[in-house]
Amino acid sequence: MQGRAWVRGNLSARLGLVVLVLAVSWIGFRAFGAGFGPNGNVPEFVIVTLNGLTLAGLYFVVASGFTLIFGLMRVVNMAHGSFYLLGGYIAFKLLQHSLTGYWLALIVAALAVGAGGLVMQQVFLRWNQGQELRQALVTIALSIIIADQMLANFGGSALTISPPAGLGGSLELGVYGIQYPTFRFAVLAGALVIGFVLWIWIMRTRFGMTVRAGVDDRAMTSALGLNIQVIFAITFFVGAALAGLGGVIGGTMIALAPGQDASFLLSSLVVVIIGGLGSLRGAVVGSLALGLVDQMSAVYLPANYTNYSILLTFVLLVFVLATRPTGLFGRRVAAGQAQESPRPLGPLPARLRASIGNRPLFAWIMVRRIGVGALLVFVVAVPLLFSAFFTSTIGVQFLVLGIAAASLIFLNTIAGMVSLAQTALYGVAAYMTAQLAVQEGVDPWVAAVAALAVTVLVGLLLGAIVSRSEGIYFLMITLAFAVITYYFFSQVTAFGSHEGINNVQPPKLIGLPFVDPTGLYYAALICSAFVYLSIRYIQRTPFGIALQGIRDEPTRMRTLGFNVPLLRAFGFALGAFFAAIAGVLSVWYNSNISPGAIDLTRTIDLLSIAVIGGIWRLEGAWIGAVLFTLLDTYSPAYTARFETVIGIVFLAVVLASPGGLAGIVSTVDGWVRRRLGEASELAPRTGELVAP
């Protein structure tokens, strides 16, 4: 009764139920409106429903491994999609060279991927347990490396695995003369078997009891003498093996190709967001919901709107998150190891006064300030000192990427939200600028302002949806939004589909960047200064202080009367504004925008920039951007595997210096000042968000 009263009083839930009823009614009308005869639409409905159920079976096989790992270990394995694709490729090669039959290839691929997952867990994840964000970043770095190496070794063409003997034909259903692929029925049956075995394993065995005990109280489980590390290792092995198994099945049902790793990572994220992290029955419900929505929206939407079917996935997420922020069967989990909150450095005049009696310390501080000033002068003089190629390729790009990364760092440091949606928001601004300027003939300045406004509104909407989610769950939801945005722009013909929008001209005041990039360089430099100073100012305003309070003590801030979801939503919209500035500058620089500019690779690249530069320091945005741009421009002369290089650098920084390059500089500076005798109360701590 209490649950029903809550639903009745919740506007979002009521609206969602209305939409659900309307959707079911529409499908019923389209399917049965012409009657139940063989000439009606019922045969199509049967086939579409079977497609949705069998696709749901595949989604469940993959997502069950994802949720199994998180359910026990609280590790969001962002390399899960790469494991899926790797398993398919291994089986394909075994079959291509006639080394094994289908079933043995399936087993070998699953075991090989499981072994690879076990190595990853033991080498990279075991020693930083409890640090959820750091572990997620490690798996992201490894996914970059794995994906690039798969592209290098297996090529970019789509590959298909032939079904095994006996499952390659079709079965007669006995109704309406429908025949349906036998292999898809086998997939559905296999998913049911896997789900049943997992349920028995977790709920009815001693090992499962230990797993559930470890979920509830890891420390007590260890204290009772149970080897929790062995349980972790077995769980990660099984979860990764399920991803590899799904890759073989998916390669037989659909295809294997670059991008399928992102697609199935998205499906796993959506399934566990709907069902709830760590819930096996949630994975079942989430898989069914996603599979049926995916297939039915592609068929039953009105003819002019079928390209918008990807939006229904987003609508499904919105409905679930509005009613159950932790998913249908999920529960709120305790946060992992807390990150050290940044605290501001003592005022510069006070530090200088304290150092006057210490000449070496005073000299070091002054040299540091002079060095920063000289660096700023150098940045201003880049168009005067270097060629147009360097100014354009290095200068403009690093400033634009720095602004985009600064929007991510702003949300992380001030609001405590690690957002992977910044590239998508950047893309929304770029697409709106291009659409208005090219398709509608609007003045470039007006198009830019309108694009900023639209992006802020999108950011506010998304912020309202995710404002009740925290930590790693927030990261997953924003990643799902980023991938959905990519698919939306790649499918909708109004935005050019895969070709995008070309011939975007910047304002005449800026000039054509491919002729003379000076104007755009200084525009990007002014915008960078604006973003930097704005974030510094916001940090000290009541709004910024409230966001920092929510970051550190959300429960206490809520008790004090602050509207935590509203403040987080407005903070997210502000981050969207900064990302939109980068998007407008980017489309002016490239003269075009296409889905490839905002795909999962670009999303991870932006995160790499922030992490390498220093995700806890605002200056790290531009430090990481300049290193990324230099590697992107000059590394092809030495290697064709740029993404592997970035992945290795990313991984090294996450493992060796979570504060990034800016954190290393800050640590060295603090060490020097302490050696020179600076008072401890004036010395900064590693990880501070401070000005140089």
Side-chain angles (χ1 to χ4, degrees):
M1 292 296 294
Q2 221 174 21
R4 289 198 200 99
W6 179 84
V7 172
R8 283 198 297 270
N10 188 287
L11 178 61
S12 298
R14 293 170 67 184
L15 288 175
L17 289 174
V18 169
V19 172
L20 179 62
V21 170
L22 291 175
V24 171
S25 301
W26 174 255
I27 292 172
F29 171 74
R30 289 286 304 271
F32 308 113
F36 292 86
N39 296 324
N41 296 321
V42 177
E44 180 185 54
F45 174 78
V46 173
I47 293 174
V48 170
T49 302
L50 287 173
N51 286 343
L53 291 174
T54 53
L55 185 61
L58 175 58
Y59 286 157
F60 173 76
V61 171
V62 180
S64 61
F66 188 93
T67 198
L68 182 67
I69 291 173
F70 185 87
L72 173 63
M73 304 176 65
R74 298 293 182 257
V75 175
V76 177
N77 180 18
M78 294 298 186
H80 202 71
S82 296
F83 286 166
Y84 164 88
L85 192 55
L86 181 60
Y89 278 139
I90 291 173
F92 178 83
K93 284 298 181 181
L94 290 174
L95 293 170
Q96 183 186 41
H97 296 289
S98 302
L99 299 177
T100 65
Y102 183 90
W103 298 113
L104 183 57
L106 183 145
I107 294 171
V108 170
L111 293 177
V113 173
L118 179 61
V119 170
M120 183 176 81
Q121 188 267 334
Q122 291 291 307
V123 175
F124 296 106
L125 302 177
R126 178 175 177 174
W127 57 274
N128 55 21
Q129 289 172 5
Q131 302 179 55
E132 293 179 0
L133 176 59
R134 195 176 190 185
Q135 289 182 321
L137 293 176
V138 167
T139 60
I140 288 172
L142 291 170
S143 72
I144 296 172
I145 298 170
I146 295 170
D148 193 48
Q149 288 303 308
M150 285 192 295
L151 179 62
N153 289 280
F154 299 107
S157 302
L159 305 173
T160 303
I161 299 174
S162 299
L167 297 179
S170 298
L171 284 179
E172 176 67 48
L173 299 187
V175 291
Y176 300 108
I178 297 174
Q179 292 186 338
Y180 198 75
T182 307
F183 183 80
R184 281 183 170 264
F185 280 121
V187 170
L188 186 57
L192 292 173
V193 170
I194 289 172
F196 180 73
V197 170
L198 287 176
W199 183 81
I200 292 293
W201 186 48
I202 294 173
M203 303 301 295
R204 292 291 186 267
T205 65
R206 181 179 178 82
F207 180 86
M209 293 172 60
T210 307
V211 167
R212 287 182 283 120
V215 171
D216 293 332
D217 195 330
R218 192 176 301 174
M220 181 61 71
T221 304
S222 298
L224 291 174
L226 299 172
N227 193 334
I228 196 71
Q229 292 302 330
V230 172
I231 297 172
F232 285 169
I234 295 173
T235 302
F236 210 98
F237 174 87
V238 173
L242 284 171
L245 179 68
V248 182
I249 296 171
T252 310
M253 272 182 62
I254 309 171
L256 301 170
Q260 286 294 309
D261 50 349
S263 176
F264 276 85
L265 175 61
L266 171 65
S267 68
S268 296
L269 290 173
V270 172
V271 166
V272 299
I273 289 170
I274 293 172
L277 277 169
S279 170
L280 189 61
R281 61 175 175 169
V284 174
V285 174
S287 298
L288 285 171
L290 181 60
L292 291 172
V293 167
D294 189 331
Q295 293 299 304
M296 290 192 173
S297 62
V299 175
Y300 291 117
L301 278 176
N304 294 332
Y305 296 93
T306 53
N307 287 331
Y308 295 85
S309 59
I310 188 66
L311 286 182
L312 289 186
T313 302
F314 185 65
V315 171
L316 183 63
L317 287 179
V318 171
F319 169 64
V320 172
L321 293 174
T323 54
R324 294 278 296 177
T326 57
L328 296 176
F329 302 99
R331 57 180 178 174
R332 196 173 296 277
V333 296
Q337 180 176 317
Q339 299 284 353
E340 184 178 11
S341 301
R343 71 179 170 97
L345 195 61
L348 179 60
R351 293 166 57 212
L352 289 175
R353 286 197 302 271
S355 66
I356 288 177
N358 185 335
R359 290 185 177 180
L361 177 59
F362 181 80
W364 170 255
I365 293 176
M366 293 307 298
V367 167
R368 182 173 179 268
R369 303 300 296 185
I370 292 170
V372 171
L375 179 61
L376 293 177
V377 170
F378 172 79
V379 171
V380 171
V382 162
L384 305 177
L385 299 175
F386 295 96
S387 65
F389 171 80
F390 186 91
T391 301
S392 175
T393 306
I394 304 297
V396 175
Q397 285 207 79
F398 109 80
L399 290 172
V400 172
L401 289 173
I403 294 172
S407 72
L408 191 157
I409 292 176
F410 160 74
L411 290 174
N412 178 54
T413 54
I414 294 182
M417 298 183 286
V418 182
S419 170
L420 294 182
Q422 301 312 104
T423 301
L425 295 167
Y426 160 111
V428 170
Y431 264 104
M432 290 307 303
T433 302
Q435 179 76 6
L436 292 173
V438 176
Q439 308 289 0
E440 307 298 333
V442 176
D443 179 81
W445 291 115
V446 176
V449 172
L452 293 176
V454 169
T455 307
V456 170
L457 288 175
V458 172
L460 186 60
L461 173 62
L462 179 60
I465 294 168
V466 302
S467 60
R468 298 179 187 276
S469 302
E470 299 175 359
I472 205 68
Y473 215 78
F474 182 92
L475 182 143
M476 289 171 52
I477 296 169
T478 54
L479 177 59
F481 171 78
V483 180
I484 288 170
T485 302
Y486 160 74
Y487 283 116
F488 172 76
F489 283 118
S490 64
Q491 292 178 8
V492 177
T493 55
F495 293 101
S497 298
H498 289 284
E499 291 75 21
I501 303 174
N502 300 306
N503 302 318
V504 183
Q505 300 294 321
K508 293 181 180 179
L509 179 63
I510 291 177
L512 298 175
F514 55 85
V515 176
D516 182 5
T518 303
L520 186 58
Y521 178 86
Y522 283 116
L525 184 60
I526 292 170
C527 289
S528 295
F530 168 76
V531 169
Y532 182 89
L533 295 175
S534 296
I535 294 175
R536 291 293 177 203
Y537 173 74
I538 292 167
Q539 183 189 4
R540 292 166 173 81
T541 63
F543 174 69
I545 293 170
L547 281 178
Q548 293 170 70
I550 292 170
R551 175 199 66 200
D552 297 331
E553 295 286 349
T555 303
R556 181 175 297 178
M557 294 295 287
R558 194 176 292 110
T559 304
L560 292 173
F562 287 89
N563 191 328
V564 172
L566 182 64
L567 288 171
R568 283 167 60 90
F570 279 121
F572 195 88
L574 196 54
F577 172 70
F578 295 137
I581 294 174
V584 172
L585 292 171
S586 173
V587 77
W588 285 350
Y589 170 73
N590 293 300
S591 299
N592 68 81
I593 179 68
S594 66
I598 58 170
D599 62 7
L600 182 62
T601 300
R602 302 288 83 77
T603 298
I604 300 304
D605 283 347
L606 186 62
L607 179 64
S608 302
I609 289 169
V611 170
I612 291 171
I615 200 168
W616 289 102
R617 293 181 63 91
L618 186 54
E619 305 81 28
W622 287 274
I623 294 173
V626 72
L627 177 61
F628 178 90
T629 307
L630 288 170
L631 288 173
D632 188 20
T633 304
Y634 296 111
S635 65
Y638 305 96
T639 176
R641 307 263 59 92
F642 168 70
E643 292 297 332
T644 298
V645 173
I646 284 295
I648 292 172
V649 174
F650 186 173
L651 182 62
V653 169
V654 172
L655 295 176
S657 175
L661 299 178
I664 293 174
V665 172
S666 176
T667 301
V668 172
D669 176 62
W671 179 83
V672 170
R673 287 203 304 271
R674 287 192 297 273
R675 296 285 293 178
L676 294 176
E678 183 178 59
S680 59
E681 64 270 15
L682 295 176
R685 299 184 301 180
T686 302
E688 292 172 351
L689 179 64
V690 295

